């Protein structure tokens, strides 16, 4: 779906209807494509446990500013499916980044502004770090989230470990079964704890929770968190990429990092990742009780960061 700049877009009603499908890499990707086809491409990437609705109110702002806005369901979400029944249901960080580049290839987008939060911020940072020719600029909520399994094996102080309770729960078969059975209750709890001042209603949550009914959702989520702490292996074809990522590659493209002033999810302090960005850089703290799902809680601030980083 494309709309001309200035045209109307009803985000809560039109978003699901706007989803199209395209084969890209390992996946049949469900995505929306809004705005002028010749506009500067913006790739928006969601996280867990969220979906494309996190950007529903960002879309009209960017489309009306002349951008082509592309938002995929990540693997394991919404209408995105694996092309092969035999494909590994892999949630490691390199796999998601390769998905993003494959989608750009399929849509014939040579480069884009990449912006996201949670898993999406990590994925965007990886694209910017490893394939800077594909990433004109980056907007990353919570900054530099590229991880290393070796670093993740190191224990944190007890309060830090407590914040990651679900990661350890998911490392057990009880956790897999619990998430499969209670995925909506689980998602709502994460929304509440990660954004403690966000007064979302049941209908808002239900729109996103529909994406968790994907048949691969549980496998992808469980593998993502198990892989991070080294209790599940990744695919050998990503080993070289993961070796590069483990070294903490710098990001040279223009970047704006964002943080909500009420983010209740585990996240690094902005000062800790400043040195990872060697190009033009700015950090913004978004005030007013904004939590982890920053694009949905503060769409104007998120969209403005995309516009501003494009001008940098």
């Amino acid at each position: 779906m494309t709309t001309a700049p200035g045209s109307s877009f009803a985000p809560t009603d039109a978003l699901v209807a706007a989803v199209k499908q395209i084969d890209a890499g390992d996946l049949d990707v469900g995505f929306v494509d809004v705005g002028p086809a010749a506009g500067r491409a913006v790739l928006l990437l969601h996280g867990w446990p969220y979906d494309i609705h996190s950007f529903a109110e960002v879309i009209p702002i960017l489309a009306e500013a002349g951008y082509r806005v592309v938002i995929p369901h990540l693997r394991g979400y919404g209408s995105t499916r694996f092309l092969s029944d035999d494909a590994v249901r892999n949630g490691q960080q390199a796999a998601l980044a390769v998905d993003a580049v494959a989608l750009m290839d399929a849509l014939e987008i040579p480069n884009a502004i990449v912006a996201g939060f949670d898993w999406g911020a990590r994925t965007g940072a990886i694209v910017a770090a490893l394939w800077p020719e594909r990433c004109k600029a980056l907007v990353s909520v919570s900054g530099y989230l590229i991880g290393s399994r070796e670093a993740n094996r190191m224990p944190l102080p007890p309060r830090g470990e407590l914040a990651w309770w679900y990661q350890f729960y998911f490392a057990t078969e009880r956790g897999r079964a619990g998430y499969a059975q209670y995925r909506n209750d689980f998602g709502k709890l994460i929304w509440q704890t990660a954004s403690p001042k966000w007064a979302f209603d049941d209908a808002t949550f239900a729109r996103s929770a529909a994406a968790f009914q994907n048949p691969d959702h549980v496998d992808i989520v469980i593998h993502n968190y198990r892989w991070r702490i080294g209790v599940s292996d990744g695919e050998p074809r990503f080993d070289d990429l993961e070796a590069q990522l483990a070294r903490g590659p710098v990001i040279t493209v223009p970047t704006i990092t964002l943080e909500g002033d009420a983010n209740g999810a585990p996240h690094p302090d902005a000062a800790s990742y400043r040195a990872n960005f060697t190009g033009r850089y700015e950090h913004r703290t978004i005030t007013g009780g904004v939590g982890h799902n920053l694009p949905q809680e503060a769409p104007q601030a998120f969209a403005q960061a995309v516009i501003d980083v494009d001008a940098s």
Side-chain angles (χ1 to χ4, degrees):
M1 173 183 175
T2 58
T3 60
S7 63
S8 62
F9 181 77
T12 59
D13 298 324
L15 198 54
V16 172
V19 172
K20 300 190 292 187
Q21 301 293 136
I22 192 168
D23 289 356
D26 295 335
L27 303 171
D28 173 16
V29 179
F31 69 104
V32 295
D33 189 349
V34 179
R40 171 81 69 191
V42 179
L43 180 65
L44 301 181
L45 302 170
H46 68 82
W48 171 84
Y50 307 95
D51 84 322
I52 60 176
H53 285 90
S54 289
F55 303 106
E57 296 193 27
V58 173
I59 292 170
I61 300 170
L62 294 179
E64 289 168 13
Y67 291 94
R68 177 187 180 185
V69 186
V70 175
I71 312 173
H73 280 294
L74 302 186
R75 54 171 60 195
Y77 293 80
S79 61
T80 293
R81 299 288 188 273
F82 285 87
L83 293 171
S84 170
D85 291 339
D86 297 327
V88 178
R89 271 44 178 178
N90 179 356
Q92 75 183 101
Q93 60 180 357
L96 273 74
V98 169
D99 290 347
V101 174
L103 177 61
M104 292 172 64
D105 288 343
L107 294 175
E108 299 182 350
I109 297 173
N111 59 67
I113 302 165
V114 184
F117 72 106
D118 195 82
W119 291 15
R122 179 177 299 107
T123 301
I126 293 171
V127 174
L130 298 186
W131 302 286
E133 71 280 3
R134 306 304 300 270
C135 182
K136 181 183 184 295
L138 174 69
V139 173
S140 179
V141 176
S142 297
Y144 189 93
L145 299 179
I146 296 173
S148 160
R149 292 213 303 171
E150 291 303 316
N152 287 342
R153 287 191 173 99
M154 300 300 294
L156 299 172
R159 188 173 297 276
E161 299 285 18
L162 177 63
W164 286 107
W165 67 271
Y166 52 87
Q167 183 167 254
F168 305 112
Y169 179 63
F170 289 163
T172 69
E173 285 307 299
R174 178 187 176 96
R176 174 191 286 275
Y179 187 63
Q181 183 173 351
Y182 299 111
R183 71 188 77 180
N184 283 6
D185 292 336
F186 207 103
K188 184 173 285 189
L189 175 62
I190 296 297
W191 280 35
Q192 291 166 341
T193 57
S195 298
K197 297 186 178 182
W198 181 32
F200 62 89
D201 59 23
D202 288 344
T204 297
F205 176 76
R207 280 193 295 271
S208 289
F212 311 157
Q213 299 309 307
N214 182 295
D216 302 308
H217 179 75
V218 173
D219 286 342
I220 295 297
V221 171
I222 295 300
H223 184 263
N224 177 285
Y225 288 102
R226 289 184 178 184
W227 178 86
R228 291 192 202 187
I229 59 174
V231 297
S232 285
D233 292 330
E235 292 181 79
R237 61 181 170 138
F238 298 122
D239 285 353
D240 288 346
L241 295 179
E242 294 294 354
Q244 295 178 61
L245 297 174
R247 293 192 287 270
V250 298
I251 292 173
T252 60
V253 305
T255 299
I256 293 176
T257 57
L258 303 172
E259 191 60 80
D261 66 342
N263 185 1
H267 61 279
D269 181 83
S272 71
Y273 52 71
R274 174 63 186 89
N276 294 102
F277 298 95
T278 60
R280 292 183 180 175
Y281 176 79
E282 180 185 350
H283 178 76
R284 298 177 181 179
T285 298
I286 311 304
T287 60
V290 175
H292 190 61
N293 185 4
L294 194 149
Q296 194 162 1
E297 298 176 61
Q300 183 64 56
F302 186 87
Q304 191 62 52
V306 171
I307 294 167
D308 292 346
V309 81
D310 185 29
S312 63

PDB file of all heavy atoms in Angstrom, residues 177-199:
ATOM      1  N   ALA A 177       6.738 -23.923  28.058  1.00  0.00           N
ATOM      2  CA  ALA A 177       5.333 -24.317  28.157  1.00  0.00           C
ATOM      3  C   ALA A 177       4.484 -23.181  28.707  1.00  0.00           C
ATOM      4  O   ALA A 177       3.363 -22.943  28.241  1.00  0.00           O
ATOM      5  CB  ALA A 177       5.198 -25.556  29.040  1.00  0.00           C
ATOM      6  N   GLY A 178       5.032 -22.457  29.684  1.00  0.00           N
ATOM      7  CA  GLY A 178       4.292 -21.341  30.267  1.00  0.00           C
ATOM      8  C   GLY A 178       4.069 -20.223  29.276  1.00  0.00           C
ATOM      9  O   GLY A 178       2.972 -19.638  29.224  1.00  0.00           O
ATOM     10  N   TYR A 179       5.088 -19.917  28.479  1.00  0.00           N
ATOM     11  CA  TYR A 179       4.920 -18.856  27.488  1.00  0.00           C
ATOM     12  C   TYR A 179       3.932 -19.276  26.405  1.00  0.00           C
ATOM     13  O   TYR A 179       3.100 -18.471  25.964  1.00  0.00           O
ATOM     14  CB  TYR A 179       6.258 -18.464  26.866  1.00  0.00           C
ATOM     15  CG  TYR A 179       6.139 -17.258  25.963  1.00  0.00           C
ATOM     16  CD1 TYR A 179       5.757 -16.028  26.485  1.00  0.00           C
ATOM     17  CD2 TYR A 179       6.371 -17.351  24.596  1.00  0.00           C
ATOM     18  CE1 TYR A 179       5.619 -14.915  25.673  1.00  0.00           C
ATOM     19  CE2 TYR A 179       6.240 -16.242  23.777  1.00  0.00           C
ATOM     20  CZ  TYR A 179       5.865 -15.028  24.318  1.00  0.00           C
ATOM     21  OH  TYR A 179       5.712 -13.929  23.506  1.00  0.00           O
ATOM     22  N   ALA A 180       4.002 -20.538  25.975  1.00  0.00           N
ATOM     23  CA  ALA A 180       3.060 -21.018  24.966  1.00  0.00           C
ATOM     24  C   ALA A 180       1.625 -20.929  25.466  1.00  0.00           C
ATOM     25  O   ALA A 180       0.712 -20.564  24.712  1.00  0.00           O
ATOM     26  CB  ALA A 180       3.396 -22.449  24.575  1.00  0.00           C
ATOM     27  N   GLN A 181       1.417 -21.235  26.727  1.00  0.00           N
ATOM     28  CA  GLN A 181       0.060 -21.245  27.281  1.00  0.00           C
ATOM     29  C   GLN A 181      -0.453 -19.856  27.611  1.00  0.00           C
ATOM     30  O   GLN A 181      -1.639 -19.564  27.439  1.00  0.00           O
ATOM     31  CB  GLN A 181       0.019 -22.119  28.527  1.00  0.00           C
ATOM     32  CG  GLN A 181      -1.376 -22.258  29.143  1.00  0.00           C
ATOM     33  CD  GLN A 181      -1.408 -23.260  30.282  1.00  0.00           C
ATOM     34  OE1 GLN A 181      -0.440 -23.979  30.523  1.00  0.00           O
ATOM     35  NE2 GLN A 181      -2.525 -23.316  30.982  1.00  0.00           N
ATOM     36  N   TYR A 182       0.449 -19.001  28.074  1.00  0.00           N
ATOM     37  CA  TYR A 182       0.020 -17.697  28.602  1.00  0.00           C
ATOM     38  C   TYR A 182       0.660 -16.525  27.857  1.00  0.00           C
ATOM     39  O   TYR A 182       0.927 -15.489  28.447  1.00  0.00           O
ATOM     40  CB  TYR A 182       0.391 -17.601  30.089  1.00  0.00           C
ATOM     41  CG  TYR A 182      -0.258 -18.630  30.960  1.00  0.00           C
ATOM     42  CD1 TYR A 182       0.506 -19.643  31.556  1.00  0.00           C
ATOM     43  CD2 TYR A 182      -1.626 -18.603  31.221  1.00  0.00           C
ATOM     44  CE1 TYR A 182      -0.082 -20.600  32.379  1.00  0.00           C
ATOM     45  CE2 TYR A 182      -2.219 -19.546  32.039  1.00  0.00           C
ATOM     46  CZ  TYR A 182      -1.448 -20.536  32.609  1.00  0.00           C
ATOM     47  OH  TYR A 182      -2.037 -21.475  33.415  1.00  0.00           O
ATOM     48  N   ARG A 183       0.884 -16.672  26.568  1.00  0.00           N
ATOM     49  CA  ARG A 183       1.652 -15.649  25.856  1.00  0.00           C
ATOM     50  C   ARG A 183       1.003 -14.269  25.938  1.00  0.00           C
ATOM     51  O   ARG A 183       1.706 -13.255  26.052  1.00  0.00           O
ATOM     52  CB  ARG A 183       1.917 -16.060  24.408  1.00  0.00           C
ATOM     53  CG  ARG A 183       0.715 -16.052  23.491  1.00  0.00           C
ATOM     54  CD  ARG A 183       1.029 -16.656  22.132  1.00  0.00           C
ATOM     55  NE  ARG A 183       1.077 -18.111  22.216  1.00  0.00           N
ATOM     56  CZ  ARG A 183       1.330 -18.895  21.168  1.00  0.00           C
ATOM     57  NH1 ARG A 183       1.569 -18.375  19.975  1.00  0.00           N
ATOM     58  NH2 ARG A 183       1.327 -20.206  21.301  1.00  0.00           N
ATOM     59  N   ASN A 184      -0.320 -14.181  25.899  1.00  0.00           N
ATOM     60  CA  ASN A 184      -0.962 -12.872  25.988  1.00  0.00           C
ATOM     61  C   ASN A 184      -0.841 -12.286  27.386  1.00  0.00           C
ATOM     62  O   ASN A 184      -0.544 -11.089  27.550  1.00  0.00           O
ATOM     63  CB  ASN A 184      -2.432 -12.967  25.579  1.00  0.00           C
ATOM     64  CG  ASN A 184      -2.602 -13.066  24.073  1.00  0.00           C
ATOM     65  OD1 ASN A 184      -1.630 -13.173  23.332  1.00  0.00           O
ATOM     66  ND2 ASN A 184      -3.840 -13.016  23.613  1.00  0.00           N
ATOM     67  N   ASP A 185      -1.064 -13.098  28.406  1.00  0.00           N
ATOM     68  CA  ASP A 185      -0.883 -12.619  29.777  1.00  0.00           C
ATOM     69  C   ASP A 185       0.563 -12.192  30.003  1.00  0.00           C
ATOM     70  O   ASP A 185       0.838 -11.197  30.679  1.00  0.00           O
ATOM     71  CB  ASP A 185      -1.254 -13.712  30.783  1.00  0.00           C
ATOM     72  CG  ASP A 185      -2.737 -14.028  30.788  1.00  0.00           C
ATOM     73  OD1 ASP A 185      -3.529 -13.151  30.387  1.00  0.00           O
ATOM     74  OD2 ASP A 185      -3.097 -15.146  31.190  1.00  0.00           O
ATOM     75  N   PHE A 186       1.480 -12.956  29.433  1.00  0.00           N
ATOM     76  CA  PHE A 186       2.904 -12.645  29.560  1.00  0.00           C
ATOM     77  C   PHE A 186       3.209 -11.311  28.891  1.00  0.00           C
ATOM     78  O   PHE A 186       3.883 -10.441  29.466  1.00  0.00           O
ATOM     79  CB  PHE A 186       3.724 -13.755  28.915  1.00  0.00           C
ATOM     80  CG  PHE A 186       5.089 -13.917  29.496  1.00  0.00           C
ATOM     81  CD1 PHE A 186       5.367 -14.948  30.365  1.00  0.00           C
ATOM     82  CD2 PHE A 186       6.104 -13.032  29.157  1.00  0.00           C
ATOM     83  CE1 PHE A 186       6.637 -15.100  30.904  1.00  0.00           C
ATOM     84  CE2 PHE A 186       7.367 -13.176  29.687  1.00  0.00           C
ATOM     85  CZ  PHE A 186       7.643 -14.220  30.571  1.00  0.00           C
ATOM     86  N   GLY A 187       2.714 -11.145  27.652  1.00  0.00           N
ATOM     87  CA  GLY A 187       2.957  -9.900  26.935  1.00  0.00           C
ATOM     88  C   GLY A 187       2.401  -8.704  27.668  1.00  0.00           C
ATOM     89  O   GLY A 187       3.057  -7.661  27.779  1.00  0.00           O
ATOM     90  N   LYS A 188       1.206  -8.834  28.205  1.00  0.00           N
ATOM     91  CA  LYS A 188       0.609  -7.705  28.926  1.00  0.00           C
ATOM     92  C   LYS A 188       1.417  -7.354  30.174  1.00  0.00           C
ATOM     93  O   LYS A 188       1.609  -6.173  30.499  1.00  0.00           O
ATOM     94  CB  LYS A 188      -0.840  -8.016  29.304  1.00  0.00           C
ATOM     95  CG  LYS A 188      -1.560  -6.846  29.962  1.00  0.00           C
ATOM     96  CD  LYS A 188      -3.035  -7.110  30.175  1.00  0.00           C
ATOM     97  CE  LYS A 188      -3.806  -7.020  28.877  1.00  0.00           C
ATOM     98  NZ  LYS A 188      -5.292  -7.075  29.113  1.00  0.00           N
ATOM     99  N   LEU A 189       1.921  -8.363  30.870  1.00  0.00           N
ATOM    100  CA  LEU A 189       2.760  -8.100  32.044  1.00  0.00           C
ATOM    101  C   LEU A 189       4.022  -7.341  31.651  1.00  0.00           C
ATOM    102  O   LEU A 189       4.421  -6.379  32.331  1.00  0.00           O
ATOM    103  CB  LEU A 189       3.120  -9.419  32.724  1.00  0.00           C
ATOM    104  CG  LEU A 189       4.089  -9.313  33.908  1.00  0.00           C
ATOM    105  CD1 LEU A 189       3.489  -8.475  35.037  1.00  0.00           C
ATOM    106  CD2 LEU A 189       4.463 -10.710  34.415  1.00  0.00           C
ATOM    107  N   ILE A 190       4.656  -7.749  30.553  1.00  0.00           N
ATOM    108  CA  ILE A 190       5.857  -7.040  30.098  1.00  0.00           C
ATOM    109  C   ILE A 190       5.514  -5.606  29.722  1.00  0.00           C
ATOM    110  O   ILE A 190       6.258  -4.668  30.054  1.00  0.00           O
ATOM    111  CB  ILE A 190       6.519  -7.789  28.929  1.00  0.00           C
ATOM    112  CG1 ILE A 190       7.012  -9.170  29.383  1.00  0.00           C
ATOM    113  CG2 ILE A 190       7.663  -6.969  28.340  1.00  0.00           C
ATOM    114  CD1 ILE A 190       8.084  -9.145  30.446  1.00  0.00           C
ATOM    115  N   TRP A 191       4.404  -5.401  29.024  1.00  0.00           N
ATOM    116  CA  TRP A 191       3.997  -4.028  28.698  1.00  0.00           C
ATOM    117  C   TRP A 191       3.857  -3.202  29.971  1.00  0.00           C
ATOM    118  O   TRP A 191       4.291  -2.038  30.008  1.00  0.00           O
ATOM    119  CB  TRP A 191       2.657  -4.053  27.954  1.00  0.00           C
ATOM    120  CG  TRP A 191       2.719  -4.375  26.504  1.00  0.00           C
ATOM    121  CD1 TRP A 191       3.570  -5.239  25.872  1.00  0.00           C
ATOM    122  CD2 TRP A 191       1.873  -3.843  25.480  1.00  0.00           C
ATOM    123  NE1 TRP A 191       3.302  -5.281  24.528  1.00  0.00           N
ATOM    124  CE2 TRP A 191       2.257  -4.440  24.255  1.00  0.00           C
ATOM    125  CE3 TRP A 191       0.811  -2.948  25.483  1.00  0.00           C
ATOM    126  CZ2 TRP A 191       1.632  -4.146  23.043  1.00  0.00           C
ATOM    127  CZ3 TRP A 191       0.176  -2.661  24.276  1.00  0.00           C
ATOM    128  CH2 TRP A 191       0.597  -3.244  23.076  1.00  0.00           C
ATOM    129  N   GLN A 192       3.250  -3.760  30.988  1.00  0.00           N
ATOM    130  CA  GLN A 192       2.998  -3.006  32.224  1.00  0.00           C
ATOM    131  C   GLN A 192       4.286  -2.701  32.973  1.00  0.00           C
ATOM    132  O   GLN A 192       4.457  -1.588  33.495  1.00  0.00           O
ATOM    133  CB  GLN A 192       2.039  -3.798  33.112  1.00  0.00           C
ATOM    134  CG  GLN A 192       0.629  -3.886  32.552  1.00  0.00           C
ATOM    135  CD  GLN A 192      -0.221  -4.934  33.233  1.00  0.00           C
ATOM    136  OE1 GLN A 192       0.296  -5.851  33.891  1.00  0.00           O
ATOM    137  NE2 GLN A 192      -1.540  -4.838  33.082  1.00  0.00           N
ATOM    138  N   THR A 193       5.204  -3.665  33.027  1.00  0.00           N
ATOM    139  CA  THR A 193       6.439  -3.428  33.773  1.00  0.00           C
ATOM    140  C   THR A 193       7.446  -2.600  32.980  1.00  0.00           C
ATOM    141  O   THR A 193       8.202  -1.823  33.568  1.00  0.00           O
ATOM    142  CB  THR A 193       7.080  -4.765  34.186  1.00  0.00           C
ATOM    143  OG1 THR A 193       7.315  -5.574  33.022  1.00  0.00           O
ATOM    144  CG2 THR A 193       6.171  -5.516  35.151  1.00  0.00           C
ATOM    145  N   ALA A 194       7.449  -2.755  31.654  1.00  0.00           N
ATOM    146  CA  ALA A 194       8.392  -2.002  30.825  1.00  0.00           C
ATOM    147  C   ALA A 194       7.955  -0.560  30.603  1.00  0.00           C
ATOM    148  O   ALA A 194       8.784   0.309  30.325  1.00  0.00           O
ATOM    149  CB  ALA A 194       8.575  -2.697  29.478  1.00  0.00           C
ATOM    150  N   SER A 195       6.650  -0.312  30.717  1.00  0.00           N
ATOM    151  CA  SER A 195       6.102   1.039  30.528  1.00  0.00           C
ATOM    152  C   SER A 195       5.114   1.322  31.658  1.00  0.00           C
ATOM    153  O   SER A 195       3.902   1.388  31.455  1.00  0.00           O
ATOM    154  CB  SER A 195       5.408   1.156  29.171  1.00  0.00           C
ATOM    155  OG  SER A 195       6.309   0.936  28.105  1.00  0.00           O
ATOM    156  N   PRO A 196       5.619   1.489  32.879  1.00  0.00           N
ATOM    157  CA  PRO A 196       4.743   1.549  34.046  1.00  0.00           C
ATOM    158  C   PRO A 196       3.808   2.755  34.079  1.00  0.00           C
ATOM    159  O   PRO A 196       2.814   2.733  34.812  1.00  0.00           O
ATOM    160  CB  PRO A 196       5.719   1.577  35.226  1.00  0.00           C
ATOM    161  CG  PRO A 196       7.011   2.085  34.651  1.00  0.00           C
ATOM    162  CD  PRO A 196       7.046   1.564  33.255  1.00  0.00           C
ATOM    163  N   LYS A 197       4.092   3.780  33.296  1.00  0.00           N
ATOM    164  CA  LYS A 197       3.228   4.970  33.297  1.00  0.00           C
ATOM    165  C   LYS A 197       2.363   5.082  32.046  1.00  0.00           C
ATOM    166  O   LYS A 197       1.655   6.073  31.871  1.00  0.00           O
ATOM    167  CB  LYS A 197       4.085   6.226  33.468  1.00  0.00           C
ATOM    168  CG  LYS A 197       4.827   6.252  34.798  1.00  0.00           C
ATOM    169  CD  LYS A 197       5.560   7.564  35.016  1.00  0.00           C
ATOM    170  CE  LYS A 197       6.255   7.562  36.375  1.00  0.00           C
ATOM    171  NZ  LYS A 197       6.953   8.861  36.631  1.00  0.00           N
ATOM    172  N   TRP A 198       2.403   4.067  31.204  1.00  0.00           N
ATOM    173  CA  TRP A 198       1.615   4.073  29.970  1.00  0.00           C
ATOM    174  C   TRP A 198       0.254   3.439  30.234  1.00  0.00           C
ATOM    175  O   TRP A 198       0.163   2.259  30.545  1.00  0.00           O
ATOM    176  CB  TRP A 198       2.358   3.312  28.872  1.00  0.00           C
ATOM    177  CG  TRP A 198       1.665   3.273  27.541  1.00  0.00           C
ATOM    178  CD1 TRP A 198       0.860   4.227  26.996  1.00  0.00           C
ATOM    179  CD2 TRP A 198       1.754   2.212  26.569  1.00  0.00           C
ATOM    180  NE1 TRP A 198       0.431   3.833  25.742  1.00  0.00           N
ATOM    181  CE2 TRP A 198       0.966   2.604  25.455  1.00  0.00           C
ATOM    182  CE3 TRP A 198       2.418   0.993  26.532  1.00  0.00           C
ATOM    183  CZ2 TRP A 198       0.821   1.804  24.328  1.00  0.00           C
ATOM    184  CZ3 TRP A 198       2.280   0.191  25.406  1.00  0.00           C
ATOM    185  CH2 TRP A 198       1.496   0.601  24.313  1.00  0.00           C
ATOM    186  N   ALA A 199      -0.808   4.197  30.096  1.00  0.00           N
ATOM    187  CA  ALA A 199      -2.160   3.721  30.388  1.00  0.00           C
ATOM    188  C   ALA A 199      -2.807   3.170  29.119  1.00  0.00           C
ATOM    189  O   ALA A 199      -3.809   3.712  28.629  1.00  0.00           O
ATOM    190  CB  ALA A 199      -2.991   4.835  31.002  1.00  0.00           C
TER     191      ALA A 199
END
